[in-house]
Amino acid sequence: MGPRGNRLLPILLALVAVAGPALPSVAGDERAVAEVSGAPEGVMWVAQLSDLHFSVHHPERAYDFRRYVGPALAMVNPDLVFITGDLTEGKSKDLLTMKQNEVEWMEYSNTMKDVIESSKLPRKKFYDLRGNHDRFGVPVSGGDYDFYEKYSMNANLRRQGRVQSITLENNGRKHLFVGFDSTMEIGLRGPTNLFGHPTDKQLIELDQSLSQWDTDFNKAPVTKVTVGHFPMSFSTLTESGKSIKDVFLKHSLAAYLCGHLHTRFGKNLKRYYHRATQEPSLYEHYYQSNMHQGYALPSAEENCSEAAARVEEFWEWEIGDWKRSRSMRILAIDDGHVSFTDIDFRLGSKSVIILPTFPLDSRFMQRRSAPRDFKCHTMGASTFDTVRALVFSRHEIVTVSAKIYDSRPGNLEVVFDSEMKRVSANDSRGDMYLIPWNWRAFADPSPDRYWLQIEAMDITGDISVSQLRPFSVNGLFAKVSWTWKEFFVMGIQWASVYHPALQCVLALIFTLLLVPRASLVLLKDQQSAYSYLRVDGSQWTPLKYLLGGFIWLFVELSRMILVWSLLLVYIIYLLVFPWFSGHPVTEDSSLASMTFRGWALKSGMKTFHAGTPDVMVIVLPHLCFVVLPTIVILAAMAAERTAFREHYLSQSGKKKDDHHQKSRREAVHDSLWSGRWIRKILIALCLVVLWKHWKLCRALMKAYAMDPLLHSPVLFYFIPALMAFAIYRTSSI
C-alpha cells in the first residue's frame, strides 16, 4: 500500500469504529431480511392475536383457536403472525393462585402446531412474545419454571434475546418489525405482576434494532412497526428514568401493536403520540384526557421543505383479547399507509375479510404528517389516485365496489359508487382491488364528512361489507372521546400516578385524624360540636351545615382517645413495617416481605425492591376501600353516640305528658334516635368493609401461600378487631 493508502487507513478504521455501535447488537437475527415476492407490489400485511389465556379450566379457548384461526390465516396468507403475550392463563380455577402450568403450555404448543398445519404457513412466520401471565412464578429465565423457553414458537425457532427484529422487503420498500419482551426479570406471581418493566439495556437494544436501516446508503423507504404486550399506560420507566415512548418517538413509528387490557375496557383502546414543540405541562406526565391530546390543526402554509418533514409521532393500537372476545387483527402497509381491521370470531368463522388500505380512517389511523403529505405529495401523487382495499375470501369474488357517503345532509347520502378492479398478476399473495377517483373533490375541512365502505360479493351470492370509516384526504383527525373505562386504562400513566396517588391518600388520612385532634387540644372551648350545631342550626346554610357535620364526625372520633390512637398507630405501621410476608415467586422459595415500596427480595447480601408500582393493586385498594371507610364509619359511630346521648339527656329532663304534645315530625325523630337505627346502618356498613377486607386477605393467602397468624397478623386482624372494639365502646352512652 502506497503513502496515500497509509493515510487513508486511519480514516477508514475510524469510520468503522464510529459505525460499529450503530449496528444492532440484538441476539438472534441481526438485520434479518426476508424478500417478499408477488403482487400486490408495495403492500404487506400481518396478523396479530393477543391474550390467548389457554387454560386447563377453559379448554374451549384452545378449541376455538384451532377451529377459527388456522382457516382464517390460510385465507388471509399474512406475511407474519404476531402473538403478543399472555399465551397461557397461569391461574387456578378460583383465579387466586397464579403460577405456571406445564399442561397449559403443552396445549399451547400442540394448538400452534395444528394452526400451522391448517394454515399452510411456514413456522418462521410466527412470533410469540411473553405477557405478564407467562411470567407468573418464573424466578429466572431458562429455569425449571420457565415453560416459555420450552414450548413457545420463538424458543423452538432458537430466537434468543428480549428484542427480535425482522425486515420484509417488497418493491424496494422495507418494512421493519421489532418485537420486545418487557416482562419482569424476576417473575412475581400475581396480582403484583401487572406492569411492563423495560430496562436501560433493553431500550438500547430496541433503539439499535429500530436504527438498523437508518444508515442504509440506498435510502429505501422504511416503515417501522413494534409489537409488545404492555400498553404505554402500564409500562414503567427504566432504572435511569427513561421511557419506551421516547424511543418510539425518536424513530416515528408507524404503529405500536400491543395487548394486555382486553376488550372489556372498551373498543377504542388507541392513543396517538407526538413530540410537542413546547415543554409538556405537568399533568401530561400523569394522564392524557383524550385519544389525540395535544394535536394542533396544521397551518394553511405547510412547509414542504425537507427540513420540515421530520415529525416525531406514533400510534398505539391495543388489540382485543382472544380469551373472551375471540379477536384477531389484520394490519396492512400500503406504500407507507398503515391500516387495520379487527375480526370477531364470537359469531363464528369468516368467509370474507375486507381491509380498506386507502384512504385511511381519520379517527384511528391518521398521522400529524398527513396534511403535509396531502399538500406536498411527499408519498407520491399515485398513492392518492386510487381507492384501495384488500379482499380475502374462501370463495371466488365476483364483484367488489367502493361506496362513499356524504354525512353533511344529516344522514348518509351516497356520492360515489363504483366497481373496483382486481390487480391482476401471475404470482399473487392476495387480492388487491382498486378504483381511480377524483380525490381532490373530497378535500374538506371536516375530517368526518365523508365515509368509506367496501362491499364484496362472492360466487355463492353472499355479500360482505367493511365497517363504515370516515376519511380525510386533507390528513385531518376526526376526534374520538374515550369512555371513562377507556380513559382509566389508556389515558392514565399508572406507573407515574402511583406515588402521587399514595401520597394524596395518606395526606387525606392524616388530615382526618390529626387536624380534628389538634383543634381539640388547641381550642379552649371544648363544648360538644353537636350541641353547637343544634343551637345555631337555623343560621346555617345547607352547605355549611354539611361541612360542619362532616368536621363534627372526626372531632368526635378524636375524643375516643384509644380508638383514635390505634388508627394512627396502624397507619404509621403500614408506612414503616412490612405489610405481610409470603412467597412472591414460587411456593418453595424463601419468604419475602411486601411494603408499599414493593417486595423486598435478596440477591446475595443486597436487598432490593421488586414489583413497583405493581403492588399498587394491593396498597391503594386497602387504603381507599378498607382503611378510609373504616375511619369514616368509626367517626360516624362516635358522632352517633354523642348525638344519642344529647337526645337521651334532653328527653329525660321533660315531663311525661309532654310526649302527647309532640308533632308527628318530632315523634319520628325520637323514634329514629330511640331505636338507634343510624348505629345499626353503620354496623351494616362495617360488615361491608370487612367483607371487602376479607376478600383481599383471602386473595393474598392464596396468591402467596402464607399463614395469616404467622406472616401477616396485623394486616389481617387489626381492622376487624378495631371495628369490634369501636362497636363495643359506642354501644352505651
Side-chain angles (χ1 to χ4, degrees):
M1 186 180 293
R4 184 178 180 184
N6 292 331
R7 289 195 299 269
L8 288 174
L9 182 59
I11 299 175
L12 292 173
L13 291 175
L15 289 174
V16 171
V18 172
L23 297 176
S25 62
V26 182
D29 297 331
E30 297 186 357
R31 290 177 68 104
V33 181
E35 181 68 31
V36 179
S37 59
E41 294 183 347
V43 183
M44 316 291 299
W45 58 93
V46 301
Q48 182 198 4
L49 298 114
S50 191
D51 297 86
L52 312 186
H53 292 273
F54 286 176
S55 170
V56 294
H57 309 295
H58 295 278
E60 71 279 1
R61 296 172 190 169
Y63 172 78
D64 287 348
F65 199 86
R66 286 186 176 96
R67 183 182 179 188
Y68 297 131
V69 174
L73 293 178
M75 181 175 71
V76 173
N77 187 29
D79 299 302
L80 293 171
V81 179
F82 294 103
I83 306 176
T84 52
D86 283 356
L87 313 179
T88 64
E89 179 80 327
K91 287 186 178 182
S92 59
K93 191 172 184 178
D94 60 6
L95 306 180
L96 297 180
T97 303
M98 307 180 199
K99 59 183 179 180
Q100 298 305 297
N101 187 325
E102 189 169 9
V103 176
E104 294 176 348
W105 281 100
M106 293 171 65
E107 178 69 11
Y108 170 74
S109 179
N110 294 331
T111 300
M112 292 307 301
K113 290 177 183 177
D114 293 342
V115 167
I116 290 171
E117 182 179 350
S118 61
S119 67
K120 304 294 191 296
L121 295 176
R123 291 177 61 198
K124 64 181 181 180
K125 286 191 175 185
F126 289 81
Y127 286 76
D128 50 5
L129 306 173
R130 291 184 202 259
N132 56 312
H133 282 246
D134 308 318
R135 272 281 180 181
F136 285 161
V138 180
V140 60
S141 296
D144 294 339
Y145 296 95
D146 190 1
F147 298 124
Y148 174 87
E149 292 292 343
K150 184 176 180 180
Y151 295 103
S152 70
M153 298 293 298
N154 278 1
N156 291 333
L157 292 169
R158 301 185 183 279
R159 296 175 182 144
Q160 302 297 322
R162 283 179 166 248
V163 179
Q164 301 289 333
S165 68
I166 179 69
T167 302
L168 303 181
E169 191 166 10
N170 177 270
N171 196 35
R173 177 180 284 273
K174 289 183 173 67
H175 307 81
L176 174 61
F177 295 88
V178 179
F180 65 96
D181 170 13
S182 61
T183 55
M184 289 180 171
E185 295 283 350
I186 299 177
L188 300 177
R189 294 197 282 180
T192 55
N193 186 340
L194 185 64
F195 285 76
H197 292 261
T199 63
D200 285 325
K201 177 184 176 182
Q202 185 180 1
L203 259 59
I204 291 172
E205 293 180 349
L206 188 61
D207 182 44
Q208 289 175 341
S209 285
L210 291 169
S211 303
Q212 60 186 271
W213 299 111
D214 292 355
T215 57
D216 187 14
F217 293 109
N218 295 327
K219 287 298 179 183
V222 181
T223 302
K224 301 177 182 181
V225 176
T226 57
V227 293
H229 180 67
F230 299 96
M232 295 290 105
S233 55
F234 281 84
S235 294
T236 67
L237 302 178
T238 67
E239 53 268 37
S240 64
K242 296 178 181 178
S243 170
I244 292 180
K245 180 182 74 172
D246 293 328
V247 177
F248 291 171
L249 285 171
K250 173 185 174 182
H251 294 279
S252 286
L253 298 183
Y256 168 51
L257 311 179
C258 59
H260 189 55
L261 295 180
H262 298 204
T263 313
R264 63 178 177 171
F265 291 108
K267 295 184 177 180
N268 293 326
L269 300 180
K270 305 165 183 71
R271 184 171 171 178
Y272 171 76
Y273 299 82
H274 81 280
R275 184 91 67 186
T277 54
Q278 67 274 15
E279 186 69 21
S281 58
L282 180 61
Y283 77 88
E284 291 182 17
H285 294 289
Y286 300 108
Y287 71 91
Q288 178 173 308
S289 58
N290 62 67
M291 193 180 299
H292 309 99
Q293 184 169 317
Y295 170 74
L297 290 174
S299 62
E301 299 295 330
E302 277 292 343
N303 189 347
C304 291
S305 66
E306 190 172 343
R310 179 67 173 170
V311 178
E312 295 183 339
E313 61 183 338
F314 73 94
W315 270 101
E316 176 187 2
W317 293 327
E318 200 264 358
I319 185 178
D321 58 290
W322 179 264
K323 178 180 178 179
R324 289 191 176 90
S325 302
R326 301 295 192 266
S327 295
M328 184 174 80
R329 172 172 292 166
I330 308 298
L331 178 138
I333 306 174
D334 178 2
D335 282 333
H337 298 287
V338 184
S339 58
F340 66 88
T341 186
D342 289 338
I343 305 156
D344 185 347
F345 288 108
R346 283 178 294 184
L347 299 179
S349 60
K350 306 298 179 183
S351 59
V352 177
I353 297 173
I354 303 173
L355 172 51
T357 63
F358 190 83
L360 298 177
D361 190 323
S362 57
R363 299 167 299 179
F364 310 130
M365 305 171 193
Q366 206 69 277
R367 298 169 67 83
R368 192 168 182 264
S369 53
R372 183 178 181 277
D373 297 336
F374 165 73
K375 180 180 180 182
C376 308
H377 298 308
T378 58
M379 305 184 76
S382 60
T383 63
F384 285 80
D385 288 342
T386 56
V387 176
R388 302 183 293 278
L390 288 166
V391 180
F392 310 103
S393 177
R394 292 181 182 175
H395 309 289
E396 180 184 345
I397 293 294
V398 178
T399 60
V400 176
S401 60
K403 295 183 179 181
I404 297 178
Y405 298 86
D406 186 353
S407 63
R408 175 166 289 184
N411 55 356
L412 296 178
E413 180 179 305
V414 178
V415 294
F416 181 92
D417 186 356
S418 184
E419 184 174 340
M420 307 179 76
K421 294 183 179 180
R422 186 172 70 89
V423 176
S424 59
N426 295 328
D427 183 16
S428 176
R429 295 175 289 117
D431 291 337
M432 167 71 82
Y433 289 80
L434 54 83
I435 181 68
W437 66 325
N438 180 15
W439 56 270
R440 292 179 179 84
F442 296 95
D444 193 88
S446 172
D448 57 1
R449 175 182 175 180
Y450 295 108
W451 294 68
L452 173 68
Q453 187 173 59
I454 307 297
E455 181 181 287
M457 184 176 70
D458 63 22
I459 198 170
T460 66
D462 289 339
I463 297 177
S464 302
V465 296
S466 66
Q467 290 185 341
L468 275 168
R469 54 176 64 183
F471 67 89
S472 171
V473 295
N474 310 50
L476 305 178
F477 279 109
K479 295 297 182 68
V480 177
S481 297
W482 281 320
T483 64
W484 72 268
K485 287 197 297 184
E486 291 167 346
F487 165 74
F488 187 77
V489 295
M490 286 294 288
I492 300 176
Q493 295 297 127
W494 284 106
S496 301
V497 161
Y498 170 52
H499 284 101
L502 176 63
Q503 292 165 4
C504 289
V505 173
L506 291 173
L508 175 61
I509 290 174
F510 279 115
T511 299
L512 295 178
L513 290 177
L514 297 178
V515 171
R517 183 62 192 169
S519 66
L520 281 179
V521 173
L522 296 176
L523 294 178
K524 295 181 180 180
D525 182 12
Q526 300 204 4
Q527 179 188 8
S528 167
Y530 175 74
S531 300
Y532 175 73
L533 288 173
R534 284 199 61 181
V535 171
D536 298 325
S538 60
Q539 302 174 7
W540 285 56
T541 64
L543 180 60
K544 289 183 178 180
Y545 196 90
L546 183 64
L547 181 61
F550 188 74
I551 295 173
W552 163 54
L553 298 182
F554 298 98
V555 169
E556 294 302 325
L557 174 63
S558 65
R559 292 178 186 275
M560 297 176 61
I561 300 297
L562 187 55
V563 174
W564 177 87
S565 300
L566 289 173
L567 278 171
L568 184 61
V569 168
Y570 181 65
I571 302 304
I572 295 174
Y573 170 87
L574 294 180
L575 291 176
V576 176
F577 297 99
W579 287 35
F580 61 89
S581 299
H583 301 275
V585 184
T586 60
E587 293 176 1
D588 55 358
S589 62
S590 59
L591 280 173
S593 58
M594 196 211 84
T595 70
F596 70 91
R597 296 184 181 90
W599 286 93
L601 303 179
K602 290 187 177 181
S603 177
M605 299 298 293
K606 294 183 178 180
T607 300
F608 65 96
H609 285 92
T612 304
D614 307 72
V615 294
M616 69 185 294
V617 299
I618 296 174
V619 174
L620 292 183
H622 181 66
L623 292 176
C624 295
F625 304 128
V626 176
V627 175
L628 261 176
T630 297
I631 293 173
V632 174
I633 291 172
L634 296 188
M637 281 187 167
E640 187 274 342
R641 185 186 68 164
T642 300
F644 178 73
R645 181 171 58 243
E646 295 287 341
H647 171 77
Y648 178 81
L649 293 175
S650 66
Q651 293 300 308
S652 62
K654 294 183 179 181
K655 297 180 180 179
K656 292 184 179 180
D657 58 348
D658 286 346
H659 174 73
H660 302 287
Q661 302 174 6
K662 294 178 181 178
S663 67
R664 181 178 179 182
R665 181 177 179 181
E666 291 174 330
V668 171
H669 180 268
D670 288 346
S671 176
L672 178 66
W673 285 112
S674 299
R676 302 197 71 176
W677 286 104
I678 294 178
R679 171 180 166 79
K680 293 174 182 178
I681 293 172
L682 292 174
I683 292 175
L685 291 177
C686 283
L687 295 177
V688 173
V689 173
L690 289 176
W691 175 76
K692 179 69 177 177
H693 180 60
W694 164 246
K695 282 186 64 178
L696 175 62
C697 293
R698 178 172 174 266
L700 296 178
M701 289 167 54
K702 287 273 191 175
Y704 302 114
M706 60 182 181
D707 185 338
L709 285 173
L710 297 177
H711 302 145
S712 54
V714 176
L715 180 71
F716 275 54
Y717 299 116
F718 179 84
I719 293 294
L722 182 63
M723 281 188 171
F725 178 71
I727 290 172
Y728 169 75
R729 284 294 304 271
T730 58
S731 60
S732 61
I733 61 173

